[in-house]
Amino acid sequence: MADNGKPTNGKRLAAWQPGKGRVDLDKFDSDATPYSVGDKTRDKIEVDSLAQQIDALQNLLYANRARKLLVVLQGLDTAGKDGTIRDVFNRTSPLGVHAVGWKAPTEDERAHDYLWRIHRCVPAAGEIVVFNRSHYEDVLVPVVNGWITPEQQRQRFEHINDFERMLAETGTVICKFMLHIGYGEQRARLQERLDDPAKNWKFNPGDLDVRKQWPQYQRAYEDLLGATHTAWAPWTIVPADSKTHRNLMVATVVRDTLAGLDLCPPPANPALRGVQVD
Amino acid sequence: MADNGKPTNGKRLAAWQPGKGRVDLDKFDSDATPYSVGDKTRDKIEVDSLAQQIDALQNLLYANRARKLLVVLQGLDTAGKDGTIRDVFNRTSPLGVHAVGWKAPTEDERAHDYLWRIHRCVPAAGEIVVFNRSHYEDVLVPVVNGWITPEQQRQRFEHINDFERMLAETGTVICKFMLHIGYGEQRARLQERLDDPAKNWKFNPGDLDVRKQWPQYQRAYEDLLGATHTAWAPWTIVPADSKTHRNLMVATVVRDTLAGLDLCPPPANPALRGVQVD
């Protein structure tokens, strides 16, 4: 944590308190690489090593069946949410981790409160669930488009903090990542999707409309980062112009979080001692 | 509301604030009949009339598809939860109301936080959902049996208040009823289930064990009533020794709650004016 109490690049954010001043995303370099050893090949080897450690820790998480891990990935279009999931969790058994991608709500979902569909998909004991987008979209799209009032926005921040605190107090560890890319990097990635026929399927014309609202989205992100960075569900802002660095940073935080739970193999069952199978 | 700020028999509880002194259930007569006109036949006719009004109001609720009604029924064994649902909602179309009975959690449910299964079943816009038991069992059984600490009990009260506030702020009206029967009345009803072969199926030997913990359950109820009686989700304590009075009181509160929403039929669609079907 920086002296000014704001989340800083390249560090896990500790208990940054709302009200200690705005988060200013312009001060976070999207092309910084604080976790890198300065050599891309070695960084990639480290990502793979971390992915294997995450798999081993997930096995313990499952064996203990006591804690749950919820990983939230947020970021603008092309920020690399899909790529992060692939590269950080590709060594973990699909039995122990699953990803949930959140789209615009269905009619049935819209007929409920906005946390209803989210709550259904939180991890059970022993599970890791990765949210590709999340309930934070409900304090982004409606805010930028003026569909909710500032008072409703504030109310939602409080709902979300309450909801996440309840999850934390009932055994869920929550890691939230904001994949922070630059305006120029997004242009390059969108252009690549247009120019490369093999990537055309990833292009959505609506992405260009959202890109026009770039400053509004930055402000909405700053609001939500400030208001929902809590001791029980902290945000990490990940410089994400470099894909390798992004993976390295997310994998490190996830590995450290799991390692910090001090998971042990469950004790032996004395009742089974000496039992012979005929 | 009584002068001492405690919930009173026969009145909808207004904003009774936690901390204004304990609820003392012994001071609530379980055989009081404040809603009765003093004639059981006329009371029953009134219940049926209220049930029909609830049906009409539910049609408007559905047509507007904006608000949701959650009715929570709590009470000890034989307090009359099933009977209340039958008699108060028997005139309402099953398209618009459904009841959810909560039993001990399954393995999958226990692997999640205790509000997870509850949140899945809250009403959608236009719906009435009646909970036969509820998340309040999670601050009764574990408290009486010492499975959770007083600190965890306090935490759960806060989770529940936060959760219900979020529901309220996103369009759900919440009515919570504690069906309050006396110790003697429970004895009579259990004995009837034992003596009447046609009612034997309702008898559960476990009910006698729970009956032995009567004072502990009264205290746990007093704690939860005091801690979770909020402006956005108030409790009504219903004297329930008389079944007719119990129905009358619950039906009146539900009818009044729905009527208080000032639901109007949705406006006509001008685009349909003059359209002729060939």
Side-chain angles (χ1 to χ4, degrees):
Chain A
M1 193 148 87
D3 287 344
N4 60 4
K6 291 182 186 174
T8 45
N9 261 351
K11 293 199 188 294
R12 182 72 191 280
L13 307 178
W16 184 75
Q17 293 297 324
K20 281 201 182 174
R22 274 189 79 78
V23 176
D24 182 352
L25 278 176
D26 295 337
K27 293 198 178 143
F28 291 79
D29 290 337
S30 59
D31 61 354
T33 55
Y35 277 55
S36 171
V37 295
D39 174 333
K40 193 163 233 173
T41 306
R42 283 170 59 202
D43 284 352
K44 284 186 175 179
I45 291 170
E46 178 63 12
V47 170
D48 194 56
S49 162
L50 288 163
Q52 291 182 56
Q53 294 172 56
I54 290 169
D55 177 46
L57 288 160
Q58 194 283 321
N59 278 337
L60 282 178
L61 189 77
Y62 184 75
N64 283 275
R65 228 95 35 115
R67 308 299 296 273
K68 309 124 182 176
L69 177 64
L70 175 62
V71 176
V72 171
L73 293 181
Q74 281 290 153
L76 292 172
D77 296 319
T78 77
K81 300 178 288 294
D82 292 1
T84 303
I85 295 173
R86 194 174 47 243
D87 294 331
V88 175
F89 295 102
N90 67 343
R91 294 282 193 167
T92 312
S93 164
L95 285 171
V97 62
H98 71 267
V100 183
W102 296 99
K103 309 278 181 198
T106 64
E107 192 180 359
D108 188 34
E109 289 168 348
R110 273 183 286 119
H112 291 87
D113 67 85
Y114 65 99
L115 292 175
W116 177 76
R117 62 177 190 159
I118 303 293
H119 205 163
R120 294 172 71 130
C121 294
V122 298
E127 278 186 356
I128 299 176
V129 169
V130 186
F131 279 0
N132 184 349
R133 303 186 188 269
S134 67
H135 42 302
Y136 286 99
E137 293 295 318
D138 293 300
V139 281
L140 284 166
V141 184
V143 169
V144 166
N145 294 289
W147 301 336
I148 63 174
T149 64
E151 169 61 14
Q152 287 172 310
Q153 180 191 16
R154 192 203 56 72
Q155 245 182 11
R156 289 190 179 193
F157 289 149
E158 209 171 316
H159 298 159
I160 289 171
N161 286 340
D162 291 341
F163 171 63
E164 291 179 346
R165 197 184 66 243
M166 184 276 295
L167 292 179
E169 290 178 351
T170 53
T172 304
V173 180
I174 305 172
C175 293
K176 303 185 295 198
F177 297 98
M178 192 277 190
L179 306 184
H180 179 47
I181 56 163
Y183 191 63
E185 179 65 20
Q186 192 192 50
R187 179 191 303 110
R189 292 186 186 184
L190 286 172
Q191 194 62 52
E192 196 184 353
R193 290 180 180 184
L194 287 165
D195 295 347
D196 181 349
K199 293 190 174 176
N200 281 176
W201 66 272
K202 290 188 183 182
F203 183 78
N204 172 358
D207 293 352
L208 297 182
D209 298 325
V210 172
R211 179 169 165 81
K212 287 186 192 133
Q213 297 174 300
W214 182 275
Q216 291 92 316
Y217 273 99
Q218 298 294 303
R219 298 301 86 77
Y221 260 111
E222 290 168 349
D223 285 346
L224 79 81
L225 288 165
T228 63
H229 178 62
T230 55
W232 55 87
W235 278 103
T236 303
I237 300 174
V238 180
D241 283 359
S242 155
K243 295 175 185 176
T244 301
H245 176 267
R246 173 201 75 202
N247 293 338
L248 184 58
M249 184 163 168
V250 172
T252 303
V253 173
V254 170
R255 191 272 320 265
D256 289 352
T257 301
L258 286 169
L261 298 178
D262 290 326
L263 300 164
C264 303
N269 181 351
L272 301 182
R273 200 177 300 152
V275 173
Q276 296 291 324
V277 179
D278 290 327
Chain B
M1 194 150 82
D3 288 343
N4 58 5
K6 291 181 187 175
T8 44
N9 262 350
K11 292 200 187 296
R12 181 74 190 279
L13 307 178
W16 184 74
Q17 294 297 325
K20 281 199 178 174
R22 274 190 78 80
V23 176
D24 181 353
L25 278 176
D26 294 338
K27 293 199 178 142
F28 291 79
D29 290 337
S30 59
D31 61 354
T33 55
Y35 277 57
S36 171
V37 295
D39 174 332
K40 194 163 232 172
T41 307
R42 282 170 58 202
D43 284 350
K44 285 186 174 179
I45 291 170
E46 177 64 11
V47 171
D48 195 55
S49 161
L50 288 163
Q52 291 181 57
Q53 294 172 54
I54 290 169
D55 178 46
L57 288 160
Q58 194 283 322
N59 278 337
L60 283 177
L61 190 77
Y62 184 75
N64 283 275
R65 227 97 33 117
R67 307 300 295 274
K68 309 125 183 177
L69 177 65
L70 176 61
V71 176
V72 172
L73 293 182
Q74 282 289 152
L76 293 173
D77 296 319
T78 76
K81 299 178 289 294
D82 292 3
T84 303
I85 294 173
R86 193 175 48 243
D87 293 331
V88 174
F89 295 102
N90 67 345
R91 293 282 193 167
T92 312
S93 164
L95 285 171
V97 62
H98 70 267
V100 182
W102 297 99
K103 308 277 180 199
T106 65
E107 191 180 0
D108 188 34
E109 289 168 348
R110 274 184 285 117
H112 291 88
D113 65 86
Y114 65 99
L115 292 174
W116 177 75
R117 63 177 190 161
I118 303 293
H119 204 163
R120 294 171 71 131
C121 295
V122 298
E127 278 185 356
I128 299 176
V129 170
V130 186
F131 280 0
N132 184 348
R133 304 188 189 266
S134 66
H135 42 301
Y136 286 100
E137 293 294 319
D138 293 299
V139 281
L140 284 166
V141 184
V143 168
V144 166
N145 293 289
W147 301 336
I148 62 174
T149 65
E151 168 60 14
Q152 286 173 310
Q153 180 190 17
R154 192 204 55 72
Q155 244 181 12
R156 289 190 179 191
F157 289 150
E158 208 171 317
H159 298 159
I160 289 171
N161 286 341
D162 290 340
F163 171 63
E164 291 179 347
R165 198 184 64 243
M166 185 277 294
L167 292 179
E169 289 178 350
T170 53
T172 304
V173 180
I174 305 170
C175 294
K176 302 184 296 197
F177 297 96
M178 193 278 188
L179 306 185
H180 179 47
I181 55 165
Y183 191 63
E185 179 65 19
Q186 192 191 49
R187 180 193 302 111
R189 293 187 186 185
L190 286 172
Q191 195 63 51
E192 196 183 355
R193 290 180 181 184
L194 287 164
D195 295 346
D196 180 350
K199 292 190 175 174
N200 281 177
W201 66 273
K202 290 187 181 181
F203 183 78
N204 172 0
D207 294 352
L208 295 183
D209 298 324
V210 172
R211 180 169 165 82
K212 286 184 192 133
Q213 297 173 301
W214 182 276
Q216 292 92 316
Y217 273 99
Q218 298 295 303
R219 297 301 88 76
Y221 260 111
E222 289 168 351
D223 284 345
L224 78 82
L225 288 166
T228 62
H229 177 62
T230 56
W232 55 88
W235 279 103
T236 303
I237 299 175
V238 181
D241 282 358
S242 155
K243 295 175 185 176
T244 302
H245 176 266
R246 172 202 76 201
N247 294 338
L248 185 58
M249 184 163 168
V250 172
T252 303
V253 173
V254 170
R255 192 272 318 267
D256 289 352
T257 301
L258 285 169
L261 298 178
D262 289 326
L263 299 164
C264 301
N269 180 350
L272 301 181
R273 200 177 299 151
V275 173
Q276 295 290 325
V277 179
D278 290 327

